[in-house]
Amino acid sequence: ASGCSSMIGKMTAVWFPISAFVALGLDHSVANMFIIPLAMLRGAEITMGQFLVKNLIPVTLGNIVGGALCVMLPFGTTHGNWFGKKTAAAQE
């Protein structure tokens, strides 16, 4: 989205990844911290315990693991020097 100059281009650029994320049935802990309490305020029969144990904790752990495996690991191995030989300057 940062490569687009118009607002419509930026909106279109973020629409597809977000739509794919939702279509796959994935949850995001920060979004759930807004949506589920809002539903609770609107009368949904969800307790704070249910929200924490059945949603927020598993989703947060999944976001951490997914971010590490699907984002950090590929970028770190392709653009980082995790498995490269250390130079003399880097060893000091």
Side-chain angles (χ1 to χ4, degrees):
S2 62
C4 299
S5 58
S6 69
M7 183 57 70
I8 293 294
K10 291 177 186 286
M11 291 168 60
T12 304
V14 299
W15 177 263
F16 292 109
I18 292 171
S19 297
F21 192 84
V22 172
L24 288 169
L26 302 175
D27 285 321
H28 192 272
S29 57
V30 176
N32 290 354
M33 283 187 252
F34 172 76
I35 295 294
I36 294 175
L38 178 64
M40 292 166 68
L41 290 172
R42 300 281 307 197
E45 296 181 12
I46 302 169
T47 65
M48 281 303 293
Q50 290 173 328
F51 169 55
L52 291 173
V53 173
K54 293 184 178 181
N55 185 279
L56 194 59
I57 293 171
V59 169
T60 303
L61 293 174
N63 287 167
I64 292 168
V65 171
L69 295 178
C70 298
V71 178
M72 184 198 68
L73 185 64
F75 279 107
T77 55
T78 57
H79 300 293
N81 57 358
W82 291 354
F83 302 111
K85 292 185 177 184
K86 297 191 186 294
T87 61
Q91 291 177 352
E92 294 176 359

